[in-house]
Amino acid sequence: HELVAYGANEPERVADLLGAGVREVVVKRGIRGATVFDASGAVSCPAHPIAQVNSIGAGDAFTAGYLSGMLDDLPIAQRMHRGALCGALAVSGVGDWEQAPTRAELPLLTTSPDDAVR
């Protein structure tokens, strides 16, 4: 397996999965962020502070953002950042997919507030 994502932090489970050949284990912790474990160690990312309207779809949105980063060959830290942003967007409005960014909008997620975007 390439990747396993789940929502609990059980160190023995992470070690078992890595020992069984899973290359990356992503542990999602909601508002407490997420951590990716692989053979080289762990990379953590905080959740993005946002006014939460609902919690539906946050974990799925994080996973979608993380996986899209994998498809774009981004390093783990950038995948985590994209996943966290997608998760934050998911809870910022009503519904579980309406706030999801399109592929064309993904670069906008990392622009500075001072940058002009057209």
Side-chain angles (χ1 to χ4, degrees), residues 26-35 44-48 62 80 84:
V26 181
V27 178
K28 302 178 292 181
R29 296 187 188 94
I31 63 171
R32 294 185 326 262
T35 302
S44 293
C45 179
H48 292 276
F62 174 92
M80 295 286 286

